[in-house]
């Protein structure tokens, strides 16, 4: 890349990072001494059974016999003995690293041991212990009273959660040495985790309960990072990742007899190239100063075609400089994002220097080059066609025909052509079909009968989450806020560092630096887990039923998720993405295989040599996708983006040269462009060009000009209340199975009603005559009123 130009980031988005990175993030650097402790617990017990051989030298039958002995020992009442056995099991799950020479060996034996442990029923045994620890009121009350909580307060929980995480992650991730029996075990484990086998609810719900208990300050010692990582991986494993979601969507459309998707969105996004971000304020000021000194400079802004042709000056130049100055709240951010405006990746190649040649005489290399084809096929909704026809009929005929999109009588030929083009690109989503079906079920409950709902893992999860969904959402957002780098430390905020702070605080500069890196890394991993978890839930719920998605979305919006994500991005995003909060020498499995080099302040400061931090870029993309999901087609929520002044924050995020991240930023800018005013659009033509090139087009969406700007008053409450009513009707119809509902059968036959046996209390016949006298004979009957009431 040229001087001052940030290179495109070689980042490939996926469900997770590579396996070693996902395993290393389970452990804090302060937990590093515990690897040796786990090994010692295993060696001590193993030597009592096997004298002169290693674990890796035993045959499978001997290994199974030893694991069975460990599982029996897990049931002893002595807490310390149980912990030692759990540590021995954890050492097996970690891959008996003392007997391995390379990281690949560790992963191989870890996988082998975990499938062995799973086959012996280890997960169920661990689950019982985990439930005991969650319900351990003594530990909870001790932790609540403690002024400072450290790693020591969560030892048992951390060991149990670590084994469970390793089991889920290793079984979930497929490897080259896959055996047929492992594939069967994978499917079995996946089905077990997703079904209500554990106390009548899926495993994920137990973890959600841990999250809410922690956030309500009733269990401050819970190791939240491990809980969140396990929760995310459990949801990912049982419900499926982004590739599986795409397949589910394709199958869902086939089932509803809808036309296939116009393209595979995952492939389209992967093939996109990053665009150069808009020029920064500092760069524009430098350009102007050079011009004042009489030097010719390369123009940082692209003129419109018509202006180039007629040699007019660029009227937007000063506006952009001013706009950038208003947008940038820190000069550092602007300097970091400096770009060469003539970079090959710019959206439109710059025109030749003045005086301009006629367009046809320009050399081929200097002509305006537009993209050969847009990446997305345009889409049109049914209601867009209805709206277009309504406007056309009002204009040419003077009356409308409601939702009739077939009758074109009296309309001119160009309108016929337009309607034909719109219909060619008509897209019916699964959500629209589900909404229509729900309306039919609400209107004709007796005619259509009970809806058959398949017991899929996502459906089981939704039914389990439904009663406490708002608590789960609020708890996750509280944790996200506490882990965000922009959050200020408050005395009443949640302490998310319980599973990273050592018992004895650091005394040397090196220890302090190491702990500082560890704390930052810890927060980044929490953000990564929550952002991935929320996105997965939103996508799966949306595919399963639109109103399930709307329910969780509304809870997120009411819990201030939109301003929270904007607050997260209101930082120097380039420095967040290139943060070096990791110490390679301490990462698992590297730290248990190789000799530990001597750590120095210099080596900690330099960090690793990677161009960017995978987890931080992954988190940013996830949060942008969540924001898109919450605001898409929601006028009131789009207006929230405008009111919270999100445009300058989002524009700064465009400095990250990664195509997928830019796409989701541009989508968020596109939906609010028409509300930002002409001046903003004039000042940001480069951003507008990027939106045109990268974001899908809706054929009659006037996003770029705002001529048909929504004249409706912005009534957030009314829109959300109308949506809330639809959601509640759906939830009541499908999930409220209480007897005596709205359509309970009524017996209208006098003979059968009088003939029913009624259970009376034993002493009724003693007081029967008194009751008659008091309630019947002594009460005067107002016949006139009775007749009027009829």
């Amino acid at each position: 890349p040229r001087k001052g130009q940030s290179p495109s980031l070689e980042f490939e988005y996926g469900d997770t990072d590579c396996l070693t990175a996902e395993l290393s993030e389970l452990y804090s650097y302060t937990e590093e001494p515990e690897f040796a402790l786990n090994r010692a617990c295993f060696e001590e017990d193993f030597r009592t059974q096997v004298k002169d051989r290693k674990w890796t030298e035993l045959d499978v039958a001997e290994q199974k016999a030893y694991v069975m002995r460990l599982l029996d020992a897990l049931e002893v009442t002595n807490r310390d003995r149980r912990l030692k056995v759990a540590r021995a099991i954890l050492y097996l799950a970690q891959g008996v690293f003392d007997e391995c020479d390379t990281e690949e060996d560790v992963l191989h034996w870890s996988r082998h041991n975990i499938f062995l442990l799973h086959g012996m029923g280890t997960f169920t045994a661990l689950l019982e212990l985990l439930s005991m620890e969650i319900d351990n009121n003594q530990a909870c009350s001790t932790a609540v009273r403690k002024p400072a909580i450290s790693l020591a307060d969560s030892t048992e929980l951390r060991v149990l959660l670590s084994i469970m995480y390793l089991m889920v992650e290793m079984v979930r991730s497929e490897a080259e040495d896959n055996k047929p029996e492992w594939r069967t075990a994978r499917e079995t484990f996946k089905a077990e985790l997703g079904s209500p086998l554990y106390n009548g609810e899926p495993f994920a719900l137990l973890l959600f309960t841990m999250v809410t208990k922690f956030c309500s300050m009733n269990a401050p010692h819970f190791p939240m990072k491990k809980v969140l990582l396990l929760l995310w991986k459990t949801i990912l494993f049982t419900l499926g990742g982004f590739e599986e979601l795409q397949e589910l969507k394709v199958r869902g459309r086939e089932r509803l007899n809808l036309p296939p998707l116009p393209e595979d969105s995952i492939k389209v996004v992967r093939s996109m190239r990053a665009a150069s971000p808009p020029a920064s304020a500092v760069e524009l000021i430098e350009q102007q100063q050079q011009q004042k000194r009489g030097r010719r400079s390369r123009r940082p802004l692209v003129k419109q075609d018509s202006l180039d042709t007629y040699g007019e000056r660029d009227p937007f130049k000063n506006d952009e400089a001013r706009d950038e100055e208003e947008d940038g709240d820190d000069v550092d951010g602007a300097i970091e994002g400096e770009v060469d405006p003539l970079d090959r990746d710019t959206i439109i190649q710059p025109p030749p220097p003045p005086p301009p040649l006629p367009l046809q005489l320009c050399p081929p290399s200097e002509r305006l080059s537009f993209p050969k084809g847009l990446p997305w096929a345009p889409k049109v909704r049914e209601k867009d066609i209805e709206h277009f026809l309504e406007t056309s009929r009002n204009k040419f005929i003077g009356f409308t025909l409601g939702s009739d999109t077939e009758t074109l009588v009296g309309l001119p030929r160009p309108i016929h052509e337009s309607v034909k083009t719109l219909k060619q690109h008509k897209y019916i989503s699964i959500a629209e079909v589900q909404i229509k079906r729900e309306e039919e079920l609400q209107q004709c409950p007796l005619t259509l009968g009970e809806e058959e709902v398949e017991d899929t893992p996502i459906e089981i999860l939704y039914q389990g989450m439904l009663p406490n969904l708002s608590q789960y959402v609020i708890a996750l957002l509280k944790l996200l806020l506490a882990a965000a780098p922009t959050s200020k430390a408050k005395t009443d905020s949640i302490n998310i560092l319980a599973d990273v702070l050592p018992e004895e605080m650091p005394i040397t500069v090196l220890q302090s630096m190491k702990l500082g890196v560890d704390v930052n890394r810890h927060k980044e991993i929490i953000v990564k887990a929550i952002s991935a978890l929320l996105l997965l839930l939103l996508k799966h719920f949306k595919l399963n039923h639109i109103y399930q998605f709307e329910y969780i979305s509304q809870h997120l919006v009411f819990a201030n998720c939109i301003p929270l994500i904007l607050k997260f991005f209101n930082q120097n995003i380039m420095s967040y993405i290139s943060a070096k909060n990791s110490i390679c020498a301490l990462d698992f499995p590297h730290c248990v295989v190789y000799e530990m080099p001597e750590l120095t302040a210099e080596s900690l400061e330099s960090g690793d040599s990677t161009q960017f931090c995978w987890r931080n870029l992954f988190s940013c993309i996830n949060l942008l996708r969540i924001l898109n999901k919450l605001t898409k087609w929601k006028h009131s929520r789009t207006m929230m983006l405008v009111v919270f002044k999100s445009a300058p924050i989002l524009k700064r995020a465009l400095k990250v040269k990664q195509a997928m991240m830019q796409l989701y930023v541009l989508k968020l800018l596109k939906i609010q462009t028409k509300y930002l005013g002409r001046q903003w659009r004039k000042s940001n033509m480069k951003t507008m060009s990027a939106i045109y090139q990268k974001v899908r087009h809706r054929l009659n969406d006037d996003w770029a000009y705002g001529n048909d700007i929504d004249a409706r008053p912005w009534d957030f409450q009314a829109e959300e209340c109308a949506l809330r009513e639809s959601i509640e009707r759906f939830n009541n119809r499908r999930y409220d199975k209480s007897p005596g509902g709205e359509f309970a059968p009524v017996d209208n036959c006098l003979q059968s009603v009088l003939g029913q046996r009624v259970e009376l209390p034993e002493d009724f016949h003693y007081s029967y005559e008194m009751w008659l006298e008091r309630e019947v004979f002594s009460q005067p009957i107002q016949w006139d009123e009775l007749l009027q009431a009829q």
Side-chain angles (χ1 to χ4, degrees):
R2 294 193 184 94
K3 188 184 176 201
Q5 172 66 53
S6 56
S8 293
L9 303 180
E10 297 297 321
F11 169 84
E12 189 169 325
Y13 184 83
D15 292 322
T16 61
D17 202 347
C18 63
L19 181 61
T20 48
E22 294 295 337
L23 295 179
S24 72
E25 287 178 0
L26 175 65
Y27 311 103
S28 303
Y29 294 145
T30 38
E31 287 179 276
E32 194 262 332
E34 294 190 20
F35 290 123
L37 191 56
N38 298 340
R39 188 188 70 213
C41 289
F42 171 80
E43 294 288 350
E44 183 187 328
D45 189 82
F46 188 63
R47 286 289 153 250
T48 62
Q49 303 300 308
V50 184
K51 299 293 181 197
D52 52 354
R53 283 188 297 164
K54 295 179 177 180
W55 169 264
T56 51
E57 294 167 357
L58 301 184
D59 61 37
V60 175
E62 289 171 313
Q63 289 177 341
K64 280 185 175 178
Y66 180 68
V67 169
M68 187 58 79
R69 197 184 153 281
L70 282 179
L71 292 177
D72 287 341
L74 264 187
E75 295 176 12
V76 297
T77 50
N78 185 317
R79 192 178 171 83
D80 293 335
R81 171 75 185 129
R82 271 206 316 268
L83 178 60
K84 281 191 168 185
V85 173
R87 283 196 181 281
I89 294 172
L90 177 55
Y91 178 67
L92 285 175
Q94 286 169 340
V96 287
F97 47 78
D98 199 41
E99 301 175 25
C100 300
D101 298 323
T102 63
E103 292 183 30
E104 287 73 25
D105 283 352
V106 174
L107 295 179
H108 167 78
W109 279 105
S110 175
R111 191 180 298 279
H112 169 85
N113 294 345
I114 277 166
F115 275 102
L116 186 76
L117 289 167
H118 172 256
M120 307 290 290
T122 309
F123 197 84
T124 313
L126 294 171
L127 192 65
E128 287 173 11
L129 289 177
L130 182 65
S131 300
M132 277 171 52
E133 288 298 331
I134 292 168
D135 297 333
N136 185 345
N137 293 325
Q138 187 187 347
C140 291
S141 56
T142 308
V144 167
R145 288 197 302 272
K146 265 193 159 185
I149 297 177
S150 69
L151 276 174
D153 297 295
S154 60
T155 307
E156 287 86 355
L157 278 167
R158 282 186 296 107
V159 170
L160 294 173
L161 289 165
S162 294
I163 305 170
M164 291 169 122
Y165 177 86
L166 289 172
M167 288 184 76
V168 170
E169 183 62 4
M170 274 297 187
V171 174
R172 184 192 69 79
S173 56
E174 297 187 24
E176 292 167 11
D177 57 350
N178 238 346
K179 301 174 185 174
E181 61 267 27
W182 286 5
R183 278 198 288 274
T184 313
R186 178 177 293 116
E187 291 308 313
T188 310
F189 193 30
K190 183 177 177 178
E192 282 173 7
L193 286 175
S195 58
L197 292 180
Y198 310 105
N199 300 327
E201 56 186 31
F203 176 57
L205 272 186
L206 180 71
L207 300 173
F208 270 120
T209 310
M210 288 185 79
V211 173
T212 48
K213 197 170 179 184
F214 175 83
C215 287
S216 61
M217 307 288 189
N218 291 328
H221 64 300
F222 281 3
M224 223 5 70
K225 184 189 80 174
K226 285 182 167 53
V227 174
L228 290 166
L229 283 172
L230 180 54
L231 178 54
W232 164 38
K233 292 301 171 62
T234 303
I235 296 286
L236 178 61
F237 184 31
T238 54
L239 304 185
F242 301 119
E243 300 277 356
E244 288 97 325
L245 271 161
Q246 189 72 9
E247 288 170 24
L248 284 170
K249 194 172 184 180
V250 169
R251 288 207 298 274
R253 291 185 69 81
E254 284 172 4
R255 206 164 46 244
L256 295 169
N257 296 319
L258 294 172
L261 292 164
E263 67 275 295
D264 183 336
S265 56
I266 295 173
K267 286 178 183 170
V268 174
V269 172
R270 278 184 184 156
S271 63
M272 275 188 176
R273 289 178 65 203
S276 290
S280 65
V282 172
E283 188 179 39
L284 290 166
I285 292 162
E286 281 177 5
Q287 297 278 358
Q288 286 172 340
Q289 285 171 347
Q290 282 180 0
Q291 282 179 335
K292 280 176 189 169
R293 288 198 295 268
R295 283 208 304 239
R296 229 175 222 181
S297 66
R298 298 186 293 185
R299 306 288 294 269
L301 285 174
V302 178
K303 294 191 289 185
Q304 289 172 311
D305 197 351
S306 58
L307 298 179
D308 296 339
T309 311
Y310 298 109
E312 291 184 21
R313 68 182 187 83
D314 187 343
F316 308 143
K317 179 161 186 150
N318 296 331
D319 293 334
E320 171 116 357
R322 186 169 63 249
D323 179 74
E324 284 287 342
E325 282 171 329
E326 287 168 8
D327 285 2
D329 58 0
D330 60 338
V331 177
D332 293 338
I335 292 168
E336 273 201 33
E338 273 189 37
V339 293
D340 181 350
L342 291 173
D343 178 61
R344 283 190 300 275
D345 288 346
T346 46
I347 292 100
I348 301 173
Q349 294 295 335
L357 301 164
L359 263 180
Q360 63 272 22
L361 300 178
C362 292
S365 62
E366 291 183 329
R367 279 187 202 154
L368 287 171
S369 63
F370 289 97
K372 290 193 180 97
L374 296 169
W376 305 101
K379 284 182 182 177
V380 181
R381 295 184 300 171
E382 180 74 31
K383 63 171 72 172
D384 296 331
I385 301 174
E386 288 171 16
H387 177 66
F388 175 73
L389 278 169
E390 187 182 347
T391 313
S392 303
R393 284 170 184 147
N394 271 329
K395 183 177 178 181
F396 293 106
I397 309 171
F399 63 87
T400 62
L401 298 173
S403 58
D404 179 357
T405 56
E406 301 303 319
T407 310
L408 301 177
V409 177
L411 295 173
R413 191 79 206 147
I415 299 293
H416 288 234
E417 292 295 323
S418 300
V419 172
K420 185 183 172 186
T421 307
L422 289 173
K423 284 185 175 176
Q424 278 173 352
H425 293 95
K426 187 168 88 168
Y427 176 79
I428 301 167
S429 66
I430 293 174
E432 287 173 88
V433 177
Q434 288 171 340
I435 290 169
K436 197 174 178 184
R437 173 69 178 159
E438 184 59 28
E439 284 171 4
E440 290 168 1
L441 285 165
Q442 297 284 357
Q443 285 167 0
C444 318
L446 297 174
T447 318
L448 295 172
E450 279 286 310
E451 180 191 17
E452 283 186 25
V453 182
E454 195 182 342
D455 266 352
T456 55
I458 183 65
E459 184 62 37
I460 293 165
L461 181 67
Y462 182 77
Q463 288 178 29
M465 289 177 73
L466 188 57
N468 302 309
L469 190 75
S470 61
Q471 291 175 34
Y472 301 147
V473 165
I474 290 166
L476 288 173
L477 291 184
K478 274 185 178 178
L479 291 167
L480 184 61
L481 178 64
T486 48
S487 294
K488 304 286 183 287
K490 292 179 188 167
T491 49
D492 60 340
S493 64
I494 306 168
N495 175 19
I496 53 168
L497 305 178
D499 51 334
V500 68
L501 296 177
E503 279 186 274
E504 294 174 6
M505 291 309 281
I507 47 174
T508 66
V509 174
L510 185 65
Q511 286 173 337
S512 298
M513 285 180 72
K514 183 180 154 187
L515 184 59
V517 169
D518 207 2
V519 165
N520 289 337
R521 172 178 177 266
H522 183 79
K523 288 181 174 181
E524 289 171 4
I525 294 166
I526 287 176
V527 172
K528 172 187 172 182
I530 294 173
S531 64
L533 170 65
L534 284 174
L535 181 61
L536 273 177
L537 286 174
L538 285 169
K539 286 187 79 69
H540 276 286
F541 282 145
K542 188 171 185 183
L543 205 51
N544 196 48
H545 200 289
I546 184 64
Y547 283 132
Q548 294 178 351
F549 162 79
E550 295 293 6
Y551 191 46
I552 189 171
S553 296
Q554 199 162 60
H555 278 301
L556 284 165
V557 172
F558 289 167
N560 282 335
C561 184
I562 292 175
L564 170 54
I565 294 176
L566 292 174
K567 181 183 178 184
F568 180 91
F569 280 97
N570 195 18
Q571 59 168 312
N572 188 334
I573 211 74
M574 286 298 288
S575 62
Y576 183 70
I577 276 161
S578 54
K580 301 275 194 290
N581 289 314
S582 55
I583 306 165
C584 297
L586 295 179
D587 281 338
F588 179 89
H590 186 279
C591 65
V592 292
V593 176
Y594 302 105
E595 283 292 314
M596 182 72 65
E598 189 182 347
L599 292 175
T600 61
E602 290 74 29
S603 67
L604 287 185
E605 268 180 359
S606 62
D608 54 20
S609 58
T610 50
Q611 185 189 12
F612 59 89
C613 174
W614 195 97
R615 67 172 161 263
N616 289 358
L617 191 44
F618 177 72
S619 301
C620 287
I621 292 173
N622 288 340
L623 290 171
L624 287 167
R625 293 183 76 179
I626 291 165
L627 204 48
N628 268 291
K629 287 251 172 284
L630 296 180
T631 51
K632 191 177 181 181
W633 303 121
K634 301 284 189 302
H635 176 62
S636 58
R637 296 178 194 174
T638 304
M639 294 308 293
M640 281 176 78
L641 290 179
V642 179
V643 168
F644 288 128
K645 295 186 169 55
S646 65
I649 296 169
L650 293 168
K651 247 187 85 178
R652 280 200 300 279
L654 283 174
K655 290 195 173 93
V656 179
K657 279 197 75 176
Q658 203 284 322
M660 191 170 185
M661 182 159 165
Q662 287 183 346
L663 171 68
Y664 289 107
V665 172
L666 292 169
K667 278 186 170 190
L668 287 165
L669 285 168
K670 179 187 174 182
I671 59 173
Q672 55 177 315
T673 301
K674 64 170 90 167
Y675 307 110
L676 296 173
R678 276 191 68 200
Q679 188 59 48
W680 189 90
R681 294 195 291 274
K682 280 165 58 180
S683 308
N684 292 278
M685 289 310 290
K686 202 166 184 183
T687 307
M688 299 287 280
S689 299
I691 293 171
Y692 177 85
Q693 188 192 8
K694 292 187 181 297
V695 182
R696 188 191 300 279
H697 289 271
R698 299 275 167 176
L699 285 184
N700 44 0
D701 175 17
D702 195 14
W703 66 271
Y705 305 103
N707 294 330
D708 66 340
I709 191 154
D710 239 316
R712 288 176 296 161
W714 175 42
D715 190 345
F716 177 83
Q717 223 164 355
E719 287 187 37
E720 294 296 342
C721 284
L723 180 59
R724 186 63 172 267
E725 280 176 24
S726 301
I727 295 165
E728 282 180 354
R729 281 199 301 271
F730 163 76
N731 282 335
N732 291 338
R733 181 192 63 73
R734 198 190 258 202
Y735 304 110
D736 186 11
K737 302 295 182 191
S738 55
E742 197 179 341
F743 301 107
V746 178
D747 191 348
N748 293 316
C749 176
L750 185 64
Q751 296 291 136
S752 74
V753 171
L754 291 173
Q756 282 177 6
R757 288 187 63 81
V758 180
E759 290 293 323
L760 298 169
E762 287 179 16
D763 58 346
F764 184 75
H765 64 279
Y766 295 125
S767 55
Y768 175 58
E769 289 178 357
M770 286 168 59
W771 179 85
L772 270 177
E773 185 63 42
R774 188 179 71 244
E775 298 293 331
V776 182
F777 302 138
S778 62
Q779 294 290 336
I781 298 169
Q782 307 290 341
W783 293 105
D784 293 339
E785 286 183 20
L786 272 172
L787 289 168
Q788 282 172 2
Q790 291 297 322

